[in-house]
Amino acid sequence: MTNHQQEFKKLAVIGTGVIGNGWIARFLAQGYDVVAFDPASGAEERTRNTIDHAWPSLEKLGLAPGASKDRLTFVATLEEAVRDADLIQENVPEREELKKNVLASIDQFAKPEAIIGSSTSGIMPSVLQEGLTNPERLIVAHPFNPVYILPLVELVGGEATTPAVLTQAAAFYESVQMKPLVINKEIEGHLADRLMEALWREALHLVNDGVATTEEVDAAIIYGAGLRWAQMGPFLTFHLAGGEKGMRHMLEQFGPALKLPWTKLEAPELTDELKEKVIQGCESHAGDVSISELEQKRNEFLVELLDLAEKYWPESNNLITK
């Protein structure tokens, strides 16, 4: 395999669901030409509608020179989408065999120096590399919804990944205004989703056991932990909770409480009754506000919150770890 080029000019996005469309919107806003492929009926129309919906938020964040919604091209085949691309972002549904089959086709048709990033939220890259001709250029590049606003992208290399690929991928994602976090050890679910999954499981138990409604759980996060985490995250938050001695005192004072059975690690059985509690709770909480309107409110909030986080915690700008 030849050395990877440093410059990325043409990007391909395979799979245009929520995450794929988020990538397309971000790439376009950063001034790139994007080629997209998705065999689903109506995919192009949905993508262009998503971009129209996202564009006001992207304008507030700041468009790169040359940024245009017109620089998106949909093509009829996967081969046509990837053959000239410098970086290919794969976003097909989270089914291992499907992903491996699609990645094998991408690997077959893409030029040897192209980098392939999978948006998988849980599958390890070494698994996805199995059977590829050029496995060393495949990495996990896992973003968060909405991709066109939230800057975190988890980068994980597999057993076959060459260090240069991760280095160049990190530089690229940083260039499109993302915060690449290079995770040095493979694990299912990577990093951020594992943390969110733990909270999600506990939230389901609280609803299932009748302790709280979905709206009350959301309020507990919004007006408590969520506000603090947006600036500092859990470790520095607890560091402050320890007073002048910081985390040292925090662990001495509250460490023993970790042995108490406050939380439940295993998820509750997702019974029909629990499903209805969660569904009805969310629908009641949302009221007459449509999903589209909720997304718009979310986007406006996140754009302002990002500015605030950057203002008060600029030291967190560089997330890349070595």
Side-chain angles (χ1 to χ4, degrees):
M1 182 176 171
T2 59
N3 290 331
H4 286 274
Q5 59 190 42
Q6 292 289 344
E7 189 175 7
F8 298 87
K9 293 183 178 180
K10 183 175 287 188
L11 310 178
V13 174
I14 307 301
T16 59
V18 172
I19 297 301
N21 285 337
W23 277 119
I24 291 171
R26 177 177 284 273
F27 292 155
L28 291 173
Q30 292 301 315
Y32 280 92
D33 291 314
V34 181
V35 180
F37 170 73
D38 191 316
S41 175
E44 180 172 359
E45 181 182 3
R46 287 191 293 272
T47 294
R48 296 195 184 277
N49 287 338
T50 298
I51 294 167
D52 288 340
H53 187 68
W55 211 252
S57 296
L58 289 164
E59 288 177 325
K60 289 180 183 178
L61 289 169
L63 300 177
S68 172
K69 293 185 282 185
D70 296 331
R71 296 181 71 170
L72 169 65
T73 303
F74 256 81
V75 294
T77 65
L78 183 146
E79 179 179 2
E80 187 179 358
V82 306
R83 65 187 176 197
D84 295 323
D86 302 306
L87 181 136
I88 299 112
Q89 193 75 40
E90 170 272 313
N91 318 277
V92 301
E94 199 77 355
R95 299 196 297 272
E96 184 178 314
E97 285 309 308
L98 173 62
K99 277 193 179 289
K100 291 175 79 169
N101 288 336
V102 171
L103 288 168
S105 295
I106 293 173
D107 187 44
Q108 175 187 353
F109 295 125
K111 56 189 180 183
E113 66 270 22
I115 291 177
I116 304 171
S118 174
S119 296
T120 178
S121 59
I123 305 172
M124 295 194 295
S126 290
V127 173
L128 297 178
Q129 288 175 338
E130 294 170 358
L132 298 186
T133 303
N134 294 311
E136 67 274 16
R137 44 95 166 261
L138 172 73
I139 62 169
V140 163
H142 174 237
F144 296 83
N145 183 45
V147 183
Y148 52 87
I149 296 178
L150 293 181
L152 181 64
V153 57
E154 297 175 320
L155 303 183
V156 195
E159 293 176 4
T161 305
T162 54
V165 169
L166 273 175
T167 299
Q168 291 172 40
F172 165 74
Y173 288 110
E174 192 170 27
S175 77
V176 294
Q177 307 305 307
M178 301 196 83
K179 307 290 187 186
L181 178 61
V182 178
I183 300 173
N184 294 313
K185 185 175 181 179
E186 288 185 87
I187 188 171
E188 294 92 344
H190 321 315
L191 177 57
D193 273 355
R194 293 181 73 95
L195 296 170
M196 289 189 288
E197 177 80 3
L199 183 61
W200 173 235
R201 290 179 184 184
E202 189 64 22
L204 288 174
H205 275 293
L206 292 169
V207 172
N208 189 54
D209 296 344
V211 176
T213 65
T214 58
E215 188 171 358
E216 289 165 346
V217 170
D218 283 355
I221 297 299
I222 292 168
Y223 301 112
L227 288 172
R228 299 185 299 184
W229 288 347
Q231 184 187 14
M232 292 188 176
F235 280 103
L236 272 186
T237 294
F238 281 137
H239 184 54
L240 268 61
E244 290 300 317
K245 293 184 179 179
M247 183 60 80
R248 184 175 300 279
H249 178 68
M250 164 65 192
L251 292 177
E252 291 173 354
Q253 187 78 7
F254 299 104
L258 294 174
K259 294 294 185 180
L260 298 176
W262 284 2
T263 57
K264 302 177 181 181
L265 293 179
E266 292 187 5
E269 185 70 29
L270 202 56
T271 61
D272 289 342
E273 182 183 3
L274 177 54
K275 287 179 184 178
E276 283 307 308
K277 275 188 180 181
V278 172
I279 292 166
Q280 290 179 18
C282 291
E283 290 177 348
S284 173
H285 189 183
D288 295 330
V289 184
S290 70
I291 294 294
S292 179
E293 290 172 307
L294 285 173
E295 287 177 340
Q296 195 60 43
K297 288 177 179 289
R298 175 202 65 190
N299 290 356
E300 292 171 3
F301 175 80
L302 288 175
V303 168
E304 292 189 34
L305 186 62
L306 274 175
D307 287 340
L308 196 62
E310 295 280 343
K311 177 181 177 182
Y312 283 93
W313 200 235
E315 294 87 349
S316 66
N317 280 354
N318 184 12
L319 290 179
I320 299 175
T321 59
K322 303 299 182 185

